[in-house]
Amino acid sequence: MDLVVDRPTRTFIEVTEVWVPDGDRLVLGAGNYGGLESFAQASEPVSFGKGEGLPGKAWAEARPVVLKGFEGSYFQRTEAALAAGLTSAVAIPVFAGDTLKAVLVTLCADDEVRTGAIEVWRAKDEALMLDDGYYGAAKHFEWVSKHTHFPRGQGLPGAVWSSETPILMRDLGSGYKFIRSESAGKAGLTTGLGLPVPVPGGATFVLTLLSARGTPIARRFEIWDARAARVGRANEAVLIDGICAREGKLWNEDAPRRATAWQGRIGQVLGNGVPLVAGSSAGLPAGYDSMVALPIHQRGELSHIVAWYN
């Protein structure tokens, strides 16, 4: 019997795309557009050179890029995006050493209730400072974040920086490890996923996805360890952490879940090192119809895969 999961009326992220290199341009590799078919049709024939549009800017500048408004900007699909109700976007480049594997782009809509956070932190003077972020209706939390910095090892961003690994943090509003817990609780933020974004040139970036109960970024998160020294063999990954309020613990330490290269959705990412966006329930856990899997390459080698589901 399939698991039946209540679906939220809104999610924080409306659209997710993967742009992959094709010669000297980025072309659409995959996308999940929900019901925004007109925007999907406007995106399919588009391509971006280095420095062109949002994906091209993330490629050229080798860093995550937050774009909070489209009108008058370098965004090249403004008319279609505004017609679809989209108002902001974040582009995350995926590099393996100096080689660009893809650019993952998430697009959001803005209203009075949609709450969450997609943050980009950058190391400056021995601390992580907010480079930019999109928060929806969480305006006070945004203000607090702009006035917060994290030394190495402190808070979610600092812990990711110190460990060079993705980290899941629960109960943001009450957890003592989450430095901004009071303002997170007031904003309704419950779950945080932090991950390193390795880029050429030595700059340090950390991406944090903060999910609220009413308008979640995702209803399920997973972290897979793909380091051969930790997993025990090459071309495999082990699920080391995961969270879903309805399903409870997603793995068993005595019998850890494993993925093998090219087998299943996680195996596909393990095999090619490219982000995956699935808008179909085929191959997904029961009760979910979309998935994003984002690989992390450390020192040129695939080290982790983070996945989220709706």
Side-chain angles (χ1 to χ4, degrees):
M1 180 177 173
D2 286 345
L3 174 71
V4 177
V5 181
D6 292 341
R7 301 183 184 282
T9 56
R10 293 184 175 95
T11 55
F12 190 66
I13 296 173
E14 292 275 356
V15 170
T16 307
E17 304 172 321
V18 177
W19 296 87
V20 295
D22 183 7
D24 60 354
R25 302 192 68 80
L26 294 172
V27 299
L28 186 63
N32 180 17
Y33 295 89
L36 303 179
E37 294 303 325
S38 294
F39 186 69
Q41 293 172 8
S43 302
E44 288 173 359
V46 177
S47 66
F48 300 97
K50 199 169 187 177
E52 294 179 355
L54 180 59
K57 184 177 179 69
W59 181 14
E61 298 185 5
R63 66 180 182 92
V65 178
V66 178
L67 183 58
K68 296 180 182 178
F70 297 146
E71 291 188 89
S73 75
Y74 50 83
F75 195 77
Q76 294 193 356
R77 296 169 286 164
T78 297
E79 185 176 347
L82 295 179
L86 301 169
T87 57
S88 58
V90 180
I92 307 155
V94 178
F95 283 94
D98 293 331
T99 302
L100 181 75
K101 303 289 284 187
V103 177
L104 182 76
V105 174
T106 64
L107 297 105
C108 303
D110 197 7
D111 57 37
E112 295 181 353
V113 299
R114 207 173 306 237
T115 298
I118 305 174
E119 302 175 316
V120 176
W121 299 86
R122 183 170 186 169
K124 297 179 182 179
D125 301 325
E126 302 303 318
L128 288 172
M129 312 294 291
L130 185 68
D131 193 59
D132 210 343
Y134 174 67
Y135 297 84
K139 301 304 181 186
H140 177 69
F141 186 77
E142 179 177 5
W143 184 89
V144 170
S145 301
K146 289 178 177 178
H147 295 82
T148 303
H149 67 276
F150 295 95
R152 189 186 297 268
Q154 187 178 84
L156 178 58
V160 172
W161 183 18
S162 177
S163 66
E164 295 187 327
T165 66
I167 293 174
L168 264 174
M169 192 170 282
R170 297 137 168 93
D171 302 320
L172 299 186
S174 58
Y176 70 92
K177 292 183 178 180
F178 194 74
I179 305 301
R180 298 167 286 165
S181 59
E182 182 178 356
S183 55
K186 291 179 180 178
L189 300 172
T190 58
T191 305
L193 173 65
L195 55 145
V197 184
V199 296
T204 296
F205 291 97
V206 171
L207 178 76
T208 50
L209 305 177
L210 308 180
S211 190
R213 184 173 290 106
T215 54
I217 286 177
R219 294 182 291 122
R220 170 172 171 157
F221 294 96
E222 297 174 348
I223 297 177
W224 295 78
D225 193 334
R227 294 171 293 182
R230 297 293 300 274
V231 174
R233 66 189 76 178
N235 298 318
E236 285 198 356
V238 173
L239 182 65
I240 59 170
D241 203 357
I243 186 171
C244 176
R246 289 183 176 272
E247 296 170 64
K249 197 171 183 178
L250 300 178
W251 84 106
N252 186 322
E253 293 175 359
D254 295 326
R257 290 186 54 186
R258 287 185 177 266
T260 303
W262 303 110
Q263 295 184 7
R265 302 283 193 174
I266 296 296
Q268 179 179 332
V269 180
L270 186 60
N272 63 19
V274 175
L276 179 146
V277 174
S280 165
S281 60
L284 301 185
Y288 300 96
D289 54 22
S290 66
M291 169 193 182
V292 179
L294 179 62
I296 299 168
H297 300 262
Q298 294 281 16
R299 288 168 280 279
E301 299 292 333
L302 181 61
S303 67
H304 294 84
I305 300 169
V306 296
W308 55 93
Y309 302 76
N310 276 306

